[in-house]
Amino acid sequence: MTFDDAGFGGADGSRYLPIAEHGLIGDLRSAALVGTDGTIDWYCCPRFDAPSVFASILDADRGGSFELAADVPTRTRQFYFPDTNVLITRFFSTDGVAEIQDFMPVVDESREAGRHRLIRRVVCARGTLPFRARVAPRFGFGSEPHTVRLRPHEAVFESPSMALALTATVPLERDGVDVWSHFKLLEGESAVFALDRVGGDVTPRSCPRAEAEDQFAATVRFWRHWLAGSRYHGRWREMVHRSALLLKLLTYAPTGAIVAAPTTSLPERIGGERNWDYRYVWVRDAAFCVYAMLRLGFTAEAEAFMGFLSERGILRGGGGAGGGAGTGDTGPLQIMYGIDGRSDLPERELSHLEGYLGSAPVRVGNAATGQLQLDIYGALIDSVYLYDKWGQPISSDHWEEVGAVVDWLCDHWDQPDEGVWETRGGRKDFLYSRLMCWVAIERAIRMANRRGLPADLTRWQRSRDAIYRQIMRSGWSAERRAFTQSLGGDLLDASVLMMPLAKFISPNDPKWLSTLDALGAELVSDSLVYRYDPEASPDGLRGAEGTFSICSFWYVEALARAGRVEEARLAFEKMLTYANHLGLYAEEIGPTGEQLGNFPQAFTHLALISAAFNLDRTLG
C-alpha cells in the first residue's frame, strides 16, 4: 500500500494529516494532539476518556478543531522544547519566522486544576508574519449542539454538557457557532490564546502575554525537574527520555492510572475495522509501564499505580467482571478499567463520524473488558514484585491480595482464553497466557521466599512446575522447531519473544535459539516484527495489519540476550528511524513506513525503554 493508496495526498487525504505528523501535549489529566500544520485535531476535556471537543482527526467535517497557522505559504518544523512536553511548531516564510508554543500547565489539586488550561502562544522571531485562527469545538464527539457568546477578546462556547472559554490577546470574530481571528505579528511581538473549561467556581479568565510567558517557564521547569530524576545515562538518552516523558504524559494524576494511548479509533489498517478505544487502563500495559519507570528510577509513578490498584480494590477483584477472586468467567480482574477505576466500559459505535481517512467504525468504550486474558496476572504480579524489590516493600494487606490472586490462578491457569492480542475469534490455549501465569506464580514465590511471607508454597510450586512442563511439552513443535502460538499448534506468534525476557527459558537454550531463527524467517521484515499471520491464524477481524512495534523491541531484546549483539543493535537503530519527527510511535508501522493505530502508544515506548536498557547493559 502506498500513501496514495491510503488516501494521503489525494482528494480525501488532503483533509487528514498522517498520524505521525502530530505531537502530544497534556496536563496529566487530559491531552491534545497538535498537527505539524498547527491544528489541534484531537482533544478530550476534562479527562483522557471524556467525549472529545476537537476530533477532526476522526472526521474532518464534523469533529471540530482549533486551527492556528501562518496565513501565507510556509515551511514548518515541529519539535519539543528540550527535555519537556512543551511543543513548538515553527513557521518559515520569505518574510519572517514565527512559532506556536503549545502547552498545558500542570497544576495541583486546587481549583485551577478544574480549568484544564490549554495555552497557545504565538511568537514572531524574525521579520513579520500574518496568522489566522479558527476555533470550532464540537462537543460530545461532535454530537452536541452549542452556542457561543462573544466579546472582543473572549468567547464562551456552551453545550449541554460543558462550557469552554477562549480568551485571546487579539480580537476575535464570530462565524456561526465558531470564532476566528486574523492578525499580524512583527519581530518580537506575540499573541496568546487560552482555552479553559469553565463552570461552577471556574470562570473565564484572560491570559495576558506576561502570564503566558510565566506559565511557559513554569511548565518547562516542571518537566525538566521531573526528568532530572532519571537514572538512565546510556547511549540512547534522547529517545529513552522522550519515551519516559510520554509515559508520564499518559498518567492520570488524580488516581495514578496510566492510559494505553490518548486516542480512540485511529486505524491499524486504513479503511479497515481494527479501530479501538485505548483511553483506559490496561492492567498489562500499565504494569509494564511500572517496570519501565522503575528501571529509570521513577519510583513515585510506580507507587501511584500501586495506589490506584489498592485504593480502588482492583487487586481484591473489586469492580472486575467476575466480582471477586475465584468467581465469574473472567476471573478476579478485568483486563482494563477506567482511569477512575470503574469497570463498566460499554463499547458503542459513533456512526455520525466517518473515521480517520474513512476508516469506520469509530468506537468508544471497549468490549474487551469482558474477555478472559490470563496473561494480565503475570504482568501485574511481576510489577508488584519489582516494586517490592526496587521501590518499597509491599504491605501485609497487599500481600494478602496477591496471595488470593495466585491461589485463584493455581485453580484456573489451565484453560483457553482470548490472549494478549485480544482476538475476537474465540478462546485458545495460547502459550503466552500460560507463560505469564507461570510468571505470576514464580514471582509470588520469590517474594514469599525473599521476605519470609506466608504462602502455600507447596501448592504454588506444584502449579508453577505444571505450567512449565505443559509449555515445554505442548508448546514446542518438533516439526517447526519452535515454540508456537498455542498449545499443540504449529503457528508462530511474536508474543513468545517474552519467554527469555521473563526468565522462563535461557536465552541460549537450543530450543529458544531455534525459535528465534523461525520467528526471524517468518514474522520479521527488515527488523520489523509482525505479531502473527491473521490469515493463517484467524482473529475474528477482516484485513491485514502492519508490524507491531512492541514486538520489534522485544525482538531486539531477545537478540541481545541470545548474544547476537550487533544484530540486536542494528535492529534497534533501524527501529528508531521509524519514530516520527518527535520520537513518538503509534501501535503499528504500515507497509510504507507510516504510523498506524492509536497514537502515541505507551506499550511501544515502554518496550523501547526496556530494549535500550538491556542492550546498553549487554554492550557494556
Side-chain angles (χ1 to χ4, degrees):
M1 182 180 68
T2 66
F3 275 109
D4 286 340
D5 293 331
F8 295 111
D12 182 65
S14 61
R15 300 161 63 236
Y16 293 92
L17 281 178
I19 292 171
E21 292 293 310
H22 291 86
L24 188 73
I25 60 172
D27 63 354
L28 307 183
R29 288 166 173 81
S30 59
L33 288 181
V34 185
T36 51
D37 60 357
T39 296
I40 296 177
D41 54 15
W42 178 255
Y43 177 47
C44 296
C45 185
R47 313 184 338 168
F48 292 109
D49 58 356
S52 64
V53 292
F54 300 134
S56 57
I57 197 170
L58 295 179
D59 193 308
D61 298 324
R62 291 178 287 273
S65 63
F66 188 156
E67 299 174 17
L68 181 58
D71 203 19
V72 293
T74 57
R75 292 179 295 109
T76 64
R77 179 170 179 253
Q78 195 177 63
F79 56 96
Y80 279 112
F81 206 72
D83 294 336
T84 77
N85 282 315
V86 173
L87 189 65
I88 311 294
T89 307
R90 185 170 289 163
F91 297 83
F92 302 87
S93 80
T94 54
D95 296 322
V97 177
E99 65 185 32
I100 303 171
Q101 300 168 352
D102 282 309
F103 59 98
M104 296 175 70
V106 180
V107 298
D108 58 20
E109 293 299 320
S110 66
R111 185 179 71 181
E112 281 301 295
R115 187 175 293 278
H116 300 281
R117 171 158 279 189
L118 192 161
I119 296 176
R120 314 202 72 185
R121 182 172 177 243
V122 190
V123 179
C124 185
R126 190 176 306 155
T128 180
L129 213 57
F131 272 81
R132 55 181 168 77
R134 185 175 190 88
V135 184
R138 298 292 182 266
F139 295 89
F141 297 110
S143 65
E144 288 186 5
H146 72 271
T147 59
V148 61
R149 292 186 284 110
L150 184 68
R151 296 194 299 183
H153 293 271
E154 178 185 294
V156 177
F157 305 94
E158 292 180 295
S159 77
S161 62
M162 185 191 306
L164 294 176
L166 174 74
T167 58
T169 59
V170 295
L172 300 172
E173 302 285 342
R174 178 173 173 169
D175 180 12
V177 292
D178 304 334
V179 300
W180 59 271
S181 180
H182 287 172
F183 57 96
K184 181 179 287 189
L185 296 178
L186 305 179
E187 185 171 324
E189 292 183 338
S190 66
V192 177
F193 296 84
L195 187 68
D196 299 340
R197 181 201 183 202
V198 294
D201 56 359
V202 180
T203 57
R205 179 168 62 79
S206 65
C207 185
R209 292 177 177 85
E211 181 181 342
E213 189 170 354
D214 289 344
Q215 287 293 306
F216 175 88
T219 307
V220 166
R221 282 195 304 273
F222 171 86
W223 289 113
R224 286 183 170 172
H225 174 76
W226 180 81
L227 191 61
S230 170
R231 293 200 303 249
Y232 181 80
H233 303 290
R235 294 167 175 81
W236 297 284
R237 180 181 179 275
E238 186 174 348
M239 289 297 287
V240 167
H241 280 175
R242 177 51 52 201
S243 294
L245 284 162
L246 184 273
L247 294 182
K248 178 66 172 176
L249 202 53
L250 298 182
T251 301
Y252 184 61
T255 65
I258 305 168
V259 298
T263 57
T264 180
S265 300
L266 293 183
E268 297 173 19
R269 179 177 180 269
I270 302 300
E273 64 174 340
R274 299 171 183 264
N275 317 318
W276 315 108
D277 192 348
Y278 277 13
R279 300 170 302 146
Y280 308 114
V281 187
W282 265 255
V283 170
R284 174 194 314 110
D285 299 39
F288 281 141
C289 278
V290 168
Y291 165 80
M293 289 296 199
L294 286 170
R295 272 292 185 210
L296 299 179
F298 295 113
T299 56
E301 284 66 32
E303 184 175 359
F305 179 66
M306 291 298 152
F308 169 75
L309 295 174
S310 178
E311 291 165 16
R312 280 146 190 85
I314 292 172
L315 269 177
R316 296 189 301 275
T327 65
D329 188 43
T330 59
L333 301 183
Q334 288 189 177
I335 69 163
M336 77 181 85
Y337 296 87
I339 56 177
D340 54 3
R342 75 188 187 280
S343 59
D344 188 26
L345 305 172
E347 181 175 300
R348 60 191 176 95
E349 296 182 3
L350 304 181
S351 58
H352 63 283
L353 298 179
E354 72 171 11
Y356 177 78
L357 282 169
S359 302
V362 172
R363 295 183 174 96
V364 295
N366 201 306
T369 50
Q371 290 190 352
L372 174 66
Q373 296 178 21
L374 291 167
D375 67 280
I376 67 172
Y377 297 97
L380 177 62
I381 294 181
D382 190 44
S383 71
V384 174
Y385 162 76
L386 293 171
Y387 178 70
D388 182 74
K389 182 179 178 182
W390 296 339
Q392 296 290 330
I394 64 169
S395 69
S396 56
D397 286 344
H398 278 163
W399 178 246
E400 289 296 321
E401 293 165 356
V402 168
V405 169
V406 175
D407 285 338
W408 180 88
L409 208 53
C410 286
D411 289 331
H412 294 85
W413 63 265
D414 192 13
Q415 61 177 307
D417 69 348
E418 275 86 6
V420 61
W421 305 132
E422 297 177 4
T423 60
R424 300 196 177 192
R427 294 181 178 180
K428 295 181 182 179
D429 289 305
F430 289 108
L431 186 150
Y432 182 81
S433 297
R434 297 293 200 277
L435 168 68
M436 296 308 285
C437 287
W438 178 90
V439 168
I441 300 171
E442 196 274 340
R443 299 306 191 262
I445 291 171
R446 284 196 200 188
M447 276 190 284
N449 285 330
R450 186 166 60 86
R451 290 186 51 196
L453 296 168
D456 188 350
L457 287 176
T458 301
R459 181 184 184 219
W460 290 7
Q461 289 167 351
R462 188 167 57 246
S463 296
R464 178 199 63 185
D465 295 348
I467 298 171
Y468 179 89
R469 293 190 183 100
Q470 187 187 77
I471 290 175
M472 298 305 287
R473 292 169 182 167
S474 302
W476 169 259
S477 169
E479 182 180 347
R480 298 299 303 271
R481 295 192 54 76
F483 289 103
T484 56
Q485 181 185 72
S486 56
L487 303 181
D490 60 359
L491 301 175
L492 299 184
D493 192 301
S495 63
V496 303
L497 287 164
M498 278 294 292
M499 293 177 75
L501 277 57
K503 296 181 169 55
F504 176 87
I505 193 170
S506 164
N508 294 301
D509 187 290
K511 285 187 174 181
W512 174 250
L513 294 177
S514 177
T515 300
L516 195 56
D517 288 339
L519 292 170
E522 188 165 315
L523 295 182
V524 179
S525 173
D526 191 34
S527 82
L528 302 179
V529 182
Y530 293 92
R531 53 183 179 173
Y532 55 83
D533 180 353
E535 288 190 12
S537 177
D539 55 14
L541 297 165
R542 296 186 301 272
E545 60 179 13
T547 57
F548 221 68
S549 293
I550 189 173
C551 297
S552 299
F553 286 120
W554 285 349
Y555 184 59
V556 168
E557 199 166 336
L559 288 172
R561 290 173 185 259
R564 295 160 62 174
V565 182
E566 289 306 315
E567 193 178 344
R569 184 170 187 172
L570 179 60
F572 185 71
E573 297 280 7
K574 279 185 176 181
M575 188 59 190
L576 296 186
T577 68
Y578 284 97
N580 83 339
H581 57 290
L582 299 168
L584 302 178
Y585 292 88
E587 186 170 44
E588 299 184 13
I589 295 171
T592 57
E594 70 274 23
Q595 300 276 352
L596 293 173
N598 284 308
F599 175 87
Q601 198 210 30
F603 223 2
T604 302
H605 286 273
L606 62 89
L608 183 156
I609 291 171
S610 181
F613 184 91
N614 285 288
L615 188 54
D616 263 318
R617 186 168 58 182
T618 304
L619 290 167

